[in-house]
Amino acid sequence: MRPSGRATAVRLGLMAVPLAFFGLFFAYPVAAIVGRGIKTDGGWQFGRIGEVLTRPDIAGVLWFTTWQALASTALTLLLALPGAYVFARFDFPGKQVLRAVVTVPFVLPTVVVGSAFLALVGRGGLLDELWGVRLDTTVWAILLAHVFFNYAVVVRTVGGLWAQLDPRQEEAARVLGAGRFAAWRRVTLPALAPAVAAAALMVFLFTFTSFGVVQILGGPAYATLEVEVYRQTAQLLDLPTAAVLTLVQFAAVGVILGVHSWTVRRRETALRLVAPDRTAHRPRGTGQWALLGGVLVSVALLIVVPLAVLVERSFDAPGGYGPDFYRALGSADGGTFLVPPLEAVRNSLEYALAATAIAVGVGGLAAAALTRRGGRLLRGFDALLMLPLGVSAVTVGFGFLITLDEPPLDLRTSWILVPLAQALVGVPFVVRTMLPVLRAVDGRLREAAAVLGASPLRAWREVDLPLVRRALLIAAGFAFAVSLGEFGATVFIARPERPTLPVAVARLLGRAGELNYGQAMALSTILMVVCAVSLLVLERLRPERSGSGDF
């Protein structure tokens, strides 16, 4: 076999497992839900699409989903771009710790984000106690929570590239007579534009498919497509409507990912990049110190205060501050849970470890297959791996229930069902983390190993693996964090006697009473600490990147 033919065969072999995994546990459940919704014994009922989309209530959901995503994206860019500049260009004490702090919300489950803002702006929250102001069940609570969640996306994506742009290009423009703003607009902004566009698209994607934040903070007055799919399936059992909404979301996400892929390719154009430590400096002058102070204040108000209030509420028991709510987690009440809520901690850790193993295995094979850039087949394969980030997790979870219920795949009573759903969300993070490092490995090292008689598998083990071991650990950490916080699919398939932490928090928040609220805050705090520790470990492992700073 020719070397090119052998390479193609190896690549197809690497793609086989990820394709089978996504086909069986993603495409099949989603297709089954859609099929049950718009297909009857008489054939496909595509007329239902028009019927559903012309309903006033559904039109309202579509409109709210779109405009709140646009508003969330604009507000996030407005507040986070100054932070991206500060992290890119300024050197100040505590910078690395602060970078980790602003990234914590991104790895937090949306349920915890909702709980944190509920403790801040909800009934009995800090603002309610101090000034009688409540923002829960308003769109402002949703928008602020989305900024909290996505702030790090802009800082990492834009700031990572900004830190490596050669400042001498802008200085040259100023020497030629351009003012400070004109030089920035004509030199720096065009270089940053693809990164800003990519960050905006990612924020739009995350907010367009928002579920946990809207479910907790929006109340019955506000519903995104994801929330409405959950309501139509879990509460109303209206599969035709849910199927149409799933198709709409699928189409919208496909367009968003297509535009995102285009912006990523634009970012691959040649830029004059330098090491980040050559561009960062101590703030100079009143203006720069004021900008740094403003960013620190915004980070404190947007990120630190909600998390601090969440922790404070978890200790604010009726009898005074203490660990009463944490102690209550150790006993079952016979109502919300069949087991003590604290069992959710162990369940979540076990599920997340299993999901991480699956995600790293599947994602590692997929990243290896994508190492060398190819044609439409590989681009389509890459896009397939990203779809779970945008397609309704609610649909996937409900699809698991109605498809994986017959031999040889009758998994309804199996514990593996939850890790499988969580791994679908973890695989894209594994691929995006490992792929740049794998592509950076000098291909001549593999060729030398092949000349010396090493098989492709041995060459990968002896050449690639030692070089990507750190990236593999980082990928595993991200997969663990996102698996720990997965909620949309898990809420359907987690068994009552084995709830996960996000499911337990949502159930407790759904019940009245101070004890339930306090336990929800306590569980949210535990989940936040676990995610934060995982992130801090990742920060210590993460090497300096030569790219744009994407996650």
Side-chain angles (χ1 to χ4, degrees):
M1 182 181 293
R2 294 180 178 179
S4 60
R6 175 182 291 182
T8 300
V10 170
R11 178 176 294 174
L12 292 175
L14 292 170
M15 292 169 59
V17 172
L19 284 173
F21 178 78
F22 275 78
L24 187 59
F25 298 114
F26 178 70
Y28 177 39
V30 172
I33 285 290
V34 174
R36 291 200 180 192
I38 61 176
K39 185 180 180 181
T40 63
D41 294 337
W44 293 95
Q45 305 295 321
F46 291 109
R48 288 180 176 174
I49 297 177
E51 295 174 3
V52 171
L53 295 183
T54 54
R55 284 167 43 183
D57 59 327
I58 298 301
V61 169
L62 292 172
W63 169 242
F64 175 74
T65 301
T66 304
W67 84 255
Q68 67 81 26
L70 289 171
S72 296
T73 302
L75 190 59
T76 303
L77 289 175
L78 178 66
L79 294 174
L81 282 176
Y85 175 78
V86 164
F87 280 104
R89 296 301 197 192
F90 291 170
D91 189 14
F92 53 91
K95 179 179 176 179
Q96 296 304 319
V97 174
L98 190 64
R99 189 193 302 273
V101 168
V102 300
T103 312
V104 165
F106 184 74
V107 300
L108 287 180
T110 55
V111 172
V112 174
V113 175
S115 300
F117 274 82
L118 200 62
L120 179 62
V121 302
R123 180 176 60 86
L126 181 64
L127 295 186
D128 190 18
E129 289 184 352
L130 294 178
W131 299 295
V133 175
R134 284 185 56 187
L135 297 179
D136 60 322
T137 70
T138 71
V139 72
W140 284 108
I142 296 172
L143 296 181
L144 289 174
H146 283 162
V147 174
F148 170 89
F149 189 76
N150 293 290
Y151 188 93
V153 174
V154 178
V155 169
R156 290 278 193 175
T157 305
V158 180
L161 179 59
W162 210 336
Q164 293 186 271
L165 290 181
D166 191 343
R168 291 176 296 182
Q169 298 177 82
E170 190 174 315
E171 293 168 2
R174 296 189 63 190
V175 168
L176 294 174
R180 184 183 297 273
F181 178 74
W184 179 84
R185 179 171 56 84
R186 294 176 182 175
V187 177
T188 304
L189 183 59
L192 287 176
V196 174
L201 281 167
M202 283 191 287
V203 174
F204 184 86
L205 176 64
F206 291 139
T207 53
F208 187 84
T209 57
S210 183
F211 176 54
V213 166
V214 180
Q215 179 83 342
I216 292 174
L217 296 176
Y222 299 104
T224 55
L225 271 172
E226 187 87 349
V227 173
E228 188 64 19
V229 169
Y230 174 76
R231 192 172 76 91
Q232 296 292 337
T233 52
Q235 299 175 8
L236 304 180
L237 297 179
D238 186 352
L239 285 185
T241 299
V244 171
L245 295 181
T246 297
L247 287 175
V248 171
Q249 184 166 321
F250 188 84
V253 167
V255 171
I256 296 169
L257 290 176
V259 176
H260 181 261
S261 177
W262 176 72
T263 61
V264 168
R265 287 198 296 272
R266 284 190 63 196
R267 293 174 68 187
E268 293 177 349
T269 57
L271 292 172
R272 184 181 298 176
L273 302 180
V274 297
D277 56 3
R278 291 178 55 187
T279 64
H281 59 80
R282 298 277 292 182
R284 307 185 188 106
T286 305
Q288 292 189 356
W289 280 106
L291 177 60
L292 175 59
V295 168
L296 293 177
V297 169
S298 66
V299 168
L301 294 177
L302 268 175
I303 296 175
V304 177
V305 169
L307 296 178
V309 172
L310 173 66
V311 176
E312 185 268 338
R313 286 293 184 267
S314 73
F315 288 98
D316 189 11
Y321 284 97
D324 294 1
F325 292 137
Y326 290 89
R327 291 196 189 101
L329 295 175
S331 60
D333 61 3
T336 307
F337 304 101
L338 301 179
V339 295
L342 199 58
E343 286 288 316
V345 178
R346 186 182 69 179
N347 296 336
S348 289
L349 292 175
E350 291 176 351
Y351 286 144
L353 287 172
T356 299
I358 297 170
V360 169
V362 174
L365 291 173
L370 292 167
T371 298
R372 293 184 180 179
R373 295 176 175 86
R376 293 181 179 179
L377 176 63
L378 283 182
R379 287 199 296 269
F381 178 62
D382 194 8
L384 170 68
L385 300 174
M386 298 300 107
L387 282 178
L389 292 181
V391 174
S392 170
V394 170
T395 300
V396 174
F398 195 65
F400 270 35
L401 291 182
I402 67 172
T403 56
L404 305 179
D405 61 344
E406 295 179 358
L409 282 174
D410 186 0
L411 302 177
R412 288 175 302 174
T413 59
S414 174
W415 68 273
I416 198 64
L417 201 61
V418 172
L420 287 172
Q422 294 174 342
L424 284 171
V425 184
V427 167
F429 286 89
V430 173
V431 173
R432 293 272 75 85
T433 302
M434 294 188 63
L435 189 55
V437 180
L438 284 171
R439 283 178 172 171
V441 176
D442 192 341
R444 291 173 296 184
L445 297 176
R446 301 189 189 100
E447 294 170 2
V451 169
L452 294 174
S455 65
L457 178 61
R458 184 177 179 185
W460 184 87
R461 188 176 66 247
E462 299 292 340
V463 175
D464 292 62
L465 184 58
L467 297 174
V468 302
R469 185 177 289 114
R470 176 170 291 187
L472 187 66
L473 292 173
I474 294 171
F478 270 122
F480 179 80
V482 299
S483 299
L484 199 65
E486 203 289 319
F487 176 61
T490 309
V491 71
F492 275 96
I493 56 181
R495 297 179 62 81
E497 69 275 12
R498 294 205 68 184
T500 64
L501 275 168
V503 172
V505 170
R507 289 180 184 174
L508 287 166
L509 289 174
R511 296 188 70 190
E514 190 174 8
L515 178 61
N516 290 311
Y517 176 82
Q519 289 183 95
M521 296 298 109
L523 277 181
S524 296
T525 300
I526 292 172
L527 189 48
M528 178 189 71
V529 169
V530 174
C531 290
V533 169
S534 302
L535 179 66
L536 290 174
V537 172
L538 295 182
E539 286 294 323
R540 293 183 65 87
L541 290 173
R542 181 181 292 276
E544 288 295 329
R545 299 284 295 273
S546 59
S548 60
D550 283 355
F551 289 95

